[in-house]
Amino acid sequence: MHTFDANHFEYTMKRTLLILSLFLSTPLFSQDWDTTLEFLLSDEDLSDQAREELSFLYESLHDSPMNINTATPDELSQLAFLSDLQIENIQAYVYMHGPMQTLGELQLTGGLDFSTRQLLKHFVYAGPVPQDEERIDLSKVISDGRQEVTGHLDIPFYRRDGIINGKYAGGRLSHNLRWSFNWKNRIRFGLALDKDAGEAWGHDFHSPYLYCKDMGFVSVLAVGNFKASFGWGLLMNSGFSLGKSITQSGSHGLKPHSSTSESGYFTGVGVTLGRGHVKYTFMGALTPLDATLKGDSVIGSFKQDGLHRTELERSKKHNISLKTGVFNVRYHSRGVTLGVTALAEKLPLPYKDRDVYAGVAADWSLSRACFSIGGETSWSGGPATLNSLLLRLPAGHELNVVYRYYSPEYAALHASAFSERKVNDETGLMVSLSRSSRKLKANCYADFFRYIESGADGMDLKGQLEWQPGKHDALILTARYKTKQKDCKYTGALEYCLTTRCRLKWTHDFSDGSGLQTLLAYSRYDMVAEPISNGWALASSYDRAFMGGRLDGSVSASVFLTDSYDSSVSVYEKGMRYSFNFMTMYGHGVRLSTVLKYSLGSHLNLSLKFGSTIYTDRDEISSGQQRIDSCHKEDLSLQFTWKY
């Protein structure tokens, strides 16, 4: 005979009422996809390459969302805005209470504030859990797989000096082409082609990839170009740094390299074996690299911009190859993660006095309902360690403490982890605090760091406030103050450089579905014996859908006034699919742009973007072979996306 459990009955009733309420209520605040993508890429710590690759990753995950009831911790960790603690709470909820019926149940998991739940809904859905793992049938894969072809063409209405004088091998056009196949996120393959402006006609970069997962004992198989990340990134993270606002251990394992970025990937084969709590990853790669050589006997630096326009740049294309071998074993069960990574790499010539790079790293984490603690310790020529403690406090507060120590001797070619500069010659302590409610979200951090060899130190302070006074309006205020010591050529000593950046953004959604965004940005740069540099920018954009949503139009305008590049400002601009749309502006001028997107049914989308930048403080733009003999420049971009 079953006994009556009052606590279980109360929980079941609350869950049932919550699910019913979702069909009877309207969300207080909703974000369209472009606004969401802008928010996810707004961290100023992100490099251009990081924004481009994150944009591609988020677009892909948005198009092929994950089932929240079957998603693994590694899959959820691709969403950088989720902490390890939040991921563990989601997993624990599904394990304890069964599959979610709707995404409204996310608020019952604990630790997911309202804005994070809104972001998450762009990438996941609540679907049924298959009783048995679906077997791979070639005929079903071919018939049910989704294919996509995306073509992009940039047409500048100006010519740079390198094109006029013939120093560049090709013309001013740049273009890329992507083809991808996806069957239920289990089998993915494709090809990315890219040509930059000034390069010879044709596609200078080719990136083929094959990625399979959940094939019995073979958990993951990656062939061609792929990325690899393990632990917290001290020894192996071929992706990119996510800045100081993101402190979780990050995405683990092998991932396909399906973007047009010409660096940060491996060429070879990787496989992850295991179906239970323990998984083993083996990886071997022979990756061609661009390098600047010193006397044909020493590698001076690695060239990562992917540009091969001039004879000198073309001579560096794939002039060396990197041999890489990696082994990783990882255990994960009920909030406990243990991992060990061993790496060995061989260069054909010495780089920084060595041609062999070998190291070992151990990572760990423990997540429970109210805390998460973990870290990684590595040895590669010297020691490096990174450790984090995250606490869930009452009233929606979260406290995070991160300590790092990277010795000057530490050297890992693919290290990318929490740092001020790089994973070498640095020690620091960061403390952050956040609080969330339905209408208000606030977070701040203070990072204190020091460079070990030089003794230079610094401090980085940042705060952000997100307020939603009503369902049609949102305000985001961001302020950052950084001070760190640098060599001063005037005094011959270490002097503090002060940087201040403030941003105030307001968005409003009109009743007809259109939206208005306005941004006011300020920056200030102050260094001893140098003039103080100030920068201002005022930007506004308006977008609206026409023809029943088949045509979407957007116009934007920005006015910027900065004293130098040191006080430059960054402004987001609506753009094309898979493209990076943050504009760095300095000097005096105006930026105008318009974007039109038209849908021909559910399979074909056409996009057009026209942009113009007009400077009032100069007669020419840029310098060297990139110089434009004009005070203004205009660009036209065309793109098509065909899904079938």
Side-chain angles (χ1 to χ4, degrees):
M1 178 181 295
H2 294 288
T3 58
F4 178 74
D5 189 333
N7 291 332
H8 179 71
F9 176 77
E10 180 182 2
Y11 171 80
T12 303
M13 290 301 297
K14 287 182 178 179
R15 181 177 180 182
T16 303
L17 290 173
L18 172 64
I19 295 172
L20 289 175
S21 69
L22 295 172
F23 297 98
L24 302 175
S25 63
T26 302
L28 175 67
F29 179 72
S30 62
Q31 293 178 316
D32 63 29
W33 172 237
D34 290 306
T35 303
T36 299
L37 187 60
E38 175 190 355
F39 177 80
L40 292 171
L41 300 176
S42 61
D43 192 337
E44 62 187 60
D45 282 340
L46 294 174
S47 64
D48 289 356
Q49 179 185 349
R51 282 200 179 99
E52 179 184 355
E53 295 198 23
L54 272 178
S55 173
F56 189 87
L57 172 64
Y58 287 140
E59 290 273 16
S60 300
L61 293 176
H62 177 66
D63 285 345
S64 302
M66 299 174 279
N67 185 349
I68 191 69
N69 295 315
T70 59
T72 66
D74 287 346
E75 290 172 332
L76 291 174
S77 67
Q78 297 178 85
L79 303 173
F81 57 86
L82 288 179
S83 68
D84 288 340
L85 178 57
Q86 291 172 326
I87 293 173
E88 186 58 35
N89 286 341
I90 294 172
Q91 297 279 294
Y93 178 87
V94 175
Y95 176 80
M96 295 175 61
H97 304 295
M100 296 184 188
Q101 302 302 307
T102 74
L103 292 181
E105 293 185 60
L106 289 170
Q107 59 187 292
L108 298 177
T109 62
L112 288 176
D113 58 83
F114 178 75
S115 60
T116 301
R117 296 197 303 270
Q118 293 298 102
L119 290 174
L120 189 57
K121 290 177 182 179
H122 287 280
F123 306 102
V124 300
Y125 68 96
V129 178
Q131 296 298 319
D132 299 307
E133 185 177 287
E134 185 177 1
R135 299 184 60 182
I136 297 178
D137 181 89
L138 184 58
S139 61
K140 290 193 65 176
V141 170
I142 295 175
S143 61
D144 298 342
R146 298 174 55 189
Q147 299 189 60
E148 178 181 308
V149 178
T150 301
H152 188 106
L153 174 65
D154 288 326
I155 307 172
F157 294 102
Y158 52 85
R159 293 198 299 169
R160 300 186 184 272
D161 281 358
I163 294 175
I164 296 174
N165 59 29
K167 296 292 185 180
Y168 287 170
R172 53 188 171 180
L173 301 182
S174 62
H175 52 83
N176 60 63
L177 183 67
R178 295 182 176 95
W179 167 70
S180 63
F181 176 93
N182 188 340
W183 181 70
K184 300 184 177 181
N185 287 328
R186 292 180 61 188
I187 297 180
R188 298 169 57 187
F189 55 86
L191 177 65
L193 307 172
D194 181 70
K195 174 200 173 295
D196 296 306
E199 294 179 340
W201 186 256
H203 292 103
D204 177 76
F205 175 68
H206 307 77
S207 180
Y209 64 91
L210 168 65
Y211 180 80
C212 305
K213 57 179 289 190
D214 301 333
M215 301 183 300
F217 189 67
V218 178
S219 177
V220 173
L221 173 66
V223 181
N225 290 351
F226 61 90
K227 295 180 177 294
S229 301
F230 304 104
W232 295 62
L234 291 189
L235 187 63
M236 171 59 72
N237 181 5
S238 63
F240 41 81
S241 174
L242 292 172
K244 295 182 180 179
S245 300
I246 308 298
T247 56
Q248 91 255 25
S249 55
S251 180
H252 298 276
L254 309 174
K255 299 292 183 295
H257 180 69
S258 50
S259 77
T260 57
S261 175
E262 299 186 36
S263 62
Y265 64 88
F266 296 99
T267 300
V269 178
V271 61
T272 300
L273 306 176
R275 301 190 63 176
H277 300 309
V278 181
K279 294 185 178 181
Y280 305 88
T281 298
F282 304 86
M283 179 188 127
L286 181 62
T287 308
L289 300 176
D290 296 1
T292 300
L293 306 181
K294 293 183 178 180
D296 295 330
S297 60
V298 176
I299 298 174
S301 62
F302 296 104
K303 187 175 183 294
Q304 297 182 321
D305 57 17
L307 297 175
H308 307 108
R309 303 161 300 185
T310 65
E311 183 177 350
L312 177 61
E313 290 177 342
R314 293 194 299 275
S315 69
K316 300 178 182 180
K317 181 180 179 180
H318 297 173
N319 56 349
I320 64 169
S321 294
L322 174 66
K323 299 177 182 178
T324 305
V326 177
F327 169 74
N328 172 266
V329 57
R330 188 164 183 258
Y331 169 85
H332 180 85
S333 177
R334 300 189 180 184
V336 177
T337 300
L338 300 172
V340 175
T341 305
L343 174 146
E345 296 191 290
K346 178 70 168 63
L347 288 165
L349 299 172
Y351 173 65
K352 294 186 176 179
D353 300 326
R354 66 176 70 180
D355 59 352
V356 175
Y357 286 77
V360 63
D363 65 276
W364 63 281
S365 67
L366 172 65
S367 296
R368 290 296 181 258
C370 295
F371 75 92
S372 177
I373 186 170
E376 183 175 20
T377 298
S378 177
W379 180 276
S380 181
T385 185
L386 173 65
N387 299 277
S388 171
L389 170 63
L390 176 63
L391 297 176
R392 240 180 90 201
L393 304 176
H397 291 82
E398 280 191 355
L399 175 67
N400 194 12
V401 181
V402 180
Y403 168 76
R404 63 194 184 274
Y405 173 82
Y406 310 141
S407 72
E409 297 79 20
Y410 188 77
L413 294 177
H414 305 290
S416 180
F418 184 92
S419 63
E420 167 63 24
R421 184 173 56 183
K422 56 183 178 178
V423 186
N424 171 265
D425 187 30
E426 181 177 312
T427 184
L429 178 69
M430 190 276 288
V431 179
S432 68
L433 182 65
S434 64
R435 184 185 185 279
S436 301
S437 64
R438 187 173 179 84
K439 290 188 176 183
L440 187 67
K441 182 176 182 179
N443 60 77
C444 61
Y445 71 71
D447 183 37
F448 305 92
F449 53 88
R450 182 172 65 88
Y451 302 134
I452 300 170
E453 282 195 326
S454 67
D457 59 32
M459 175 180 63
D460 186 6
L461 308 176
K462 182 179 179 181
Q464 181 166 295
L465 184 67
E466 304 168 36
W467 180 41
Q468 299 165 5
K471 69 178 183 179
H472 296 296
D473 296 276
L475 282 170
I476 300 178
L477 174 63
T478 305
R480 186 173 189 179
Y481 173 81
K482 180 186 288 189
T483 173
K484 64 179 179 180
Q485 289 179 304
K486 292 183 177 180
D487 289 321
C488 180
K489 62 182 179 181
Y490 298 103
T491 65
L494 290 173
E495 303 289 353
Y496 283 102
C497 171
L498 312 180
T499 305
T500 304
R501 298 187 185 278
C502 300
R503 299 167 66 90
L504 177 62
K505 179 183 175 183
W506 168 61
T507 64
H508 178 76
D509 296 328
F510 295 96
S511 57
D512 60 0
S514 59
L516 177 67
Q517 299 186 41
T518 302
L519 171 72
L520 177 63
Y522 169 73
S523 64
R524 176 186 172 95
Y525 176 87
D526 187 359
M527 181 73 176
V528 172
E530 294 183 15
I532 295 176
S533 180
N534 292 286
W536 293 89
L538 178 63
S540 187
S541 65
Y542 176 78
D543 60 88
R544 183 175 180 177
F546 303 90
M547 301 172 61
R550 295 177 61 187
L551 176 64
D552 182 71
S554 173
V555 293
S556 64
S558 305
V559 178
F560 53 95
L561 181 65
T562 77
D563 295 333
S564 68
Y565 181 81
D566 292 323
S567 58
S568 61
V569 291
S570 296
V571 176
Y572 177 82
E573 192 174 86
K574 195 169 184 178
M576 306 295 213
R577 179 180 175 83
Y578 299 141
S579 61
F580 149 76
N581 299 302
F582 266 85
M583 310 293 294
T584 299
M585 303 175 180
Y586 63 95
H588 302 174
V590 177
R591 170 69 182 178
L592 306 170
S593 73
T594 182
V595 179
L596 295 175
K597 299 181 180 180
Y598 183 69
S599 299
L600 283 79
S602 59
H603 299 287
L604 182 61
N605 295 318
L606 303 177
S607 300
L608 177 150
K609 177 179 180 178
F610 177 79
S612 175
T613 305
I614 305 169
Y615 293 92
T616 59
D617 62 340
R618 68 195 70 176
D619 297 323
E620 59 183 25
I621 302 172
S622 194
S623 60
Q625 302 300 331
Q626 287 288 91
R627 191 184 77 94
I628 301 171
D629 187 19
S630 175
C631 65
H632 61 90
K633 62 175 183 176
E634 286 74 36
D635 297 86
L636 176 67
S637 297
L638 305 173
Q639 187 182 80
F640 75 88
T641 301
W642 180 32
K643 300 179 181 180
Y644 57 99

